[in-house]
Amino acid sequence: MAVAELSSPSHTNPRLLHSSQLSSLSTHLYKHRRCSFRSRPPTRYARISCSVAPNQVQAPLTVQVQNTTSKPECYGVFCLTYDLKAEEETKSWKKLINIAVSGAAGMISNHLLFKLASGEVFGPNQPIALKLLGSQRSLEALEGVAMELEDSLYPLLREVSISVDPYEVFQDAEWALLIGAKPRGPGMERAGLLDINGQIFAEQGKALNAVASRNVKVLVVGNPCNTNALICLKNAPNIPAKNFHALTRLDENRAKCQLALKAGVFYDKVSNVTIWGNHSTTQVPDFLNARINGLPVEEVIKDRKWLEEEFTEKVQKRGGVLIKKWGRSSAASTAVSIVDAMKSLVTPTPEGDWFSSGVYTNGNPYGIVEDIVFSMPCRSKGDGDYELVKDIKFDDYLRKRIAKTEAELLAEKRCVAHLTGEGIAVCDLPEDTMLPGEM
């Protein structure tokens, strides 16, 4: 479902953009900003770096205009550097969390970045730095994104940097939200999309491996997200494979909504919902283990045929219905689900509940084939890590459905073998199961 402009390493732009000084009138900030250029060592990418003023929430500071020659890359309020030294730390302020976002000029990011900046994920006392990855043609759009973030006066947003170089954006990243991916064009075969986007995620995996935090958490949103996550982790051998996730939280949220509607309850009464497998129309919304008001779903919704057919299909095709109604893909709800997925890893999972995420299958207790990225039920202690849930029930229906989505992911894996270091790619995809939002 992720649609964004992509960076192309073949383009060259050796210029570094900056402004002359901070305008005293915010309404004239963009109008009066001027750009100058200086030479730099040859590079494939252009870059803009920014950082936000260190005003404390408890005691606002008087902003001083700095000499721009000391930090020529910045513009506007981002010219003032925030650097919390150890002796300045208090109980209410913490060190920055570095969050890298690819596809940062796209619609999903347009909703997501403001949620991150507001503290919705990490709380009201956690400052963050946003590192935004775009393409050569989206640099001006990214400047516009930075201006909107600037104008929003988020006290927690301390730094913003913009680049088309993943090696710059992923430097010291503790979270990497990989949203940017090429959408499927007219006449494009699914195998072609796997190859094109796979090359993007192979390159980003190498960049993460080279410069990101060794414990970076990577959430892949760009589709096909399961296989893209596999490609990314295979190209980042120095980062634990367990740290890579493919986003299936929106599918889980949709399943909860449909169960709540059918049962006539609010969706906070629905728990223990799992999405198994691939983020495609072979995904398996699990009603067997789900609960409503603490009771097994089948004790509340006594219509097995509806659960097996209409419920499953509604979850699988919800994105397509939305596009038909509204004329655009589900960017806003995708951004919400990214926030939900992140919060599930930094907040202890409620006792007895779990959440869905596409994770690496090695060592799983369900008998699912190893060495793929497969959506499964997870629990977290709130430390960024997770464990797979062991007390899961299976019946013949669920096993059969899981086997189908597993076979599809194995076929996708063979199709990108050249990108994972496993030899020559052989594409024998059984059918076209691409979700409507990817078209």
Side-chain angles (χ1 to χ4, degrees):
M1 63 185 67
V3 178
E5 293 188 29
L6 307 173
S7 61
S8 171
S10 62
H11 293 295
T12 334
N13 188 346
R15 302 180 300 174
L16 190 64
L17 306 178
H18 63 88
S19 70
S20 59
Q21 61 181 358
L22 174 67
S23 169
S24 60
L25 297 175
S26 61
T27 55
H28 295 158
L29 177 63
Y30 186 76
K31 180 178 179 182
H32 289 289
R33 195 181 84 245
R34 65 178 185 269
C35 295
S36 59
F37 308 96
R38 64 181 173 85
S39 62
R40 60 184 280 189
T43 177
R44 295 179 298 170
Y45 304 99
R47 178 174 181 263
I48 302 173
S49 297
C50 322
S51 58
V52 180
N55 30 320
Q56 298 291 332
V57 175
Q58 300 91 337
L61 299 176
T62 302
V63 177
Q64 301 291 330
V65 177
Q66 292 186 349
N67 184 345
T68 56
T69 59
S70 63
K71 189 173 179 59
E73 309 97 329
C74 64
Y75 63 88
V77 73
F78 297 119
C79 286
L80 298 171
T81 301
Y82 170 77
D83 183 14
L84 189 64
K85 297 178 181 178
E87 61 269 20
E88 296 173 343
E89 291 187 38
T90 67
K91 292 182 179 179
S92 63
W93 284 104
K94 307 171 185 178
K95 290 183 179 179
L96 287 172
I97 292 178
N98 291 313
I99 306 170
V101 183
S102 77
M107 289 302 298
I108 293 173
S109 295
N110 192 45
H111 295 279
L112 174 65
L113 296 176
F114 298 87
K115 290 178 173 292
L116 296 172
S118 71
E120 194 168 332
V121 174
F122 298 104
N125 299 316
Q126 177 60 66
I128 66 168
L130 288 176
K131 298 165 172 270
L132 309 182
L133 180 63
S135 65
Q136 292 285 353
R137 63 180 180 176
S138 71
L139 271 176
E140 284 197 13
L142 286 177
E143 267 194 84
V145 171
M147 290 173 65
E148 279 212 273
L149 289 167
E150 181 181 49
D151 293 344
S152 298
L153 303 180
Y154 288 114
L156 296 173
L157 181 58
R158 298 297 171 156
E159 293 184 5
V160 173
S161 60
I162 298 169
S163 180
V164 297
D165 182 353
Y167 287 85
E168 291 181 346
V169 171
F170 295 156
Q171 182 71 49
D172 301 321
E174 295 158 277
W175 286 83
L177 311 178
L178 306 185
I179 300 172
K182 183 178 178 63
R184 187 178 184 184
M188 182 183 292
E189 294 293 333
R190 188 158 178 234
L193 186 64
L194 280 165
D195 179 61
I196 292 171
N197 280 336
Q199 293 181 48
I200 295 166
F201 286 89
E203 178 67 19
Q204 291 182 354
K206 292 172 185 175
L208 288 166
N209 194 62
V211 300
S213 163
R214 297 302 82 182
N215 198 35
V216 62
K217 303 299 185 290
V218 183
L219 179 59
V220 177
V221 182
N223 283 313
C225 62
N226 292 62
T227 298
N228 287 341
L230 179 67
I231 293 167
C232 198
L233 73 86
K234 289 289 187 177
N235 283 275
N238 295 332
I239 298 171
K242 193 177 183 183
N243 288 18
F244 290 79
H245 297 257
L247 183 72
T248 57
R249 187 54 173 266
L250 180 55
D251 304 310
E252 177 190 325
N253 290 353
R254 287 168 170 169
K256 286 180 175 178
C257 177
Q258 294 305 314
L259 290 173
L261 284 168
K262 184 68 172 178
V265 301
F266 201 59
Y267 45 75
D268 63 349
K269 304 301 182 184
V270 183
S271 63
N272 303 86
V273 172
T274 305
I275 299 295
W276 295 94
N278 200 5
H279 178 65
S280 75
T281 57
T282 66
Q283 66 179 258
V284 187
D286 180 0
F287 57 83
L288 182 65
N289 291 282
R291 292 180 170 269
I292 298 174
N293 279 321
L295 297 173
V297 162
E298 289 188 277
E299 292 185 17
V300 179
I301 301 174
K302 300 178 180 180
D303 186 346
R304 177 83 183 203
K305 187 175 187 295
W306 180 87
L307 290 167
E308 289 186 2
E309 297 176 8
E310 188 174 343
F311 163 67
T312 299
E313 186 175 340
K314 278 188 173 183
V315 175
Q316 292 171 339
K317 298 183 178 180
R318 179 75 165 182
V321 173
L322 187 146
I323 291 171
K324 190 174 182 179
K325 295 280 188 182
W326 201 29
R328 63 184 72 177
S329 62
S330 48
S333 54
T334 299
V336 169
S337 70
I338 294 170
V339 168
D340 289 342
M342 296 174 72
K343 287 170 67 176
S344 290
L345 291 170
V346 299
T347 307
T349 306
E351 184 68 27
D353 202 359
W354 57 71
F355 59 91
S356 301
S357 188
V359 294
Y360 198 49
T361 53
N362 282 17
N364 78 86
Y366 315 119
I368 294 166
V369 67
E370 297 199 339
D371 203 34
I372 57 175
V373 171
F374 198 92
S375 185
M376 298 181 285
C378 306
R379 288 192 181 112
S380 178
K381 295 177 182 178
D383 56 359
D385 202 355
Y386 67 91
E387 61 181 12
L388 294 176
V389 180
K390 295 180 181 178
D391 47 336
I392 298 293
K393 296 186 301 181
F394 294 91
D395 61 8
D396 290 342
Y397 168 83
L398 186 56
R399 284 287 186 194
K400 182 178 179 181
R401 289 295 185 111
I402 287 176
K404 181 178 181 180
T405 194
E406 178 186 77
E408 179 180 59
L409 282 168
L410 287 170
E412 288 187 10
K413 180 185 174 184
R414 291 190 292 272
C415 200
V416 298
H418 60 302
L419 299 173
T420 60
E422 298 180 13
I424 300 173
V426 178
C427 284
D428 55 349
L429 300 175
E431 58 181 309
D432 195 332
T433 60
M434 196 67 71
L435 293 173
E438 298 164 358
M439 303 295 186

